Amino acid sequence: MCDMRPMELRDTVDMMNSEDYKERFKAEYYQTVIRYGKLKNMLDRWDEGILNFSPTCPRSTYNIQINSMAEYIAILEARAVMEGIELCK
């Protein structure tokens, strides 16, 4: 069953350490989604000119990263369907 509150990285610790590969798979998926959301938020604030720090990498590097993360999330979601793993979204 899916919890209504947003998941945080610390919520994935037990799943990551599970003997069950499906639980480890879920942890990897949720961790990637959480990190994607945080990076997306940073990039949105950068675009709005309200970022409270100066990024060390050029924007193009972050664009490659966010696009790769989105593709990886899509791959994990496809695998979850094929492997019968229920993900909360």
Side-chain angles (χ1 to χ4, degrees), residues 25 31 36 55 65 67:
F25 181 96
Q31 289 170 5
Y36 173 89
Q65 181 179 352
N67 290 333

Side-chain angles (χ1 to χ4, degrees), residues 20-76:
D20 181 355
Y21 91 92
K22 289 184 177 187
E23 286 300 302
R24 291 191 310 274
F25 181 96
K26 289 179 186 182
E28 182 174 350
Y29 173 78
Y30 297 137
Q31 289 170 5
T32 305
V33 168
I34 291 164
R35 289 185 173 106
Y36 173 89
K38 289 181 183 293
L39 180 58
K40 174 86 169 73
N41 183 271
M42 183 199 91
L43 295 176
D44 289 345
R45 288 183 295 139
W46 193 353
D47 290 344
E48 295 167 13
I50 58 172
L51 197 58
N52 60 355
F53 67 94
S54 296
T56 54
C57 296
R59 177 59 189 257
S60 59
T61 301
Y62 292 111
N63 290 343
I64 293 168
Q65 181 179 352
I66 196 94
N67 290 333
S68 296
M69 290 174 83
E71 290 176 4
Y72 186 53
I73 289 167
I75 291 166
L76 291 175

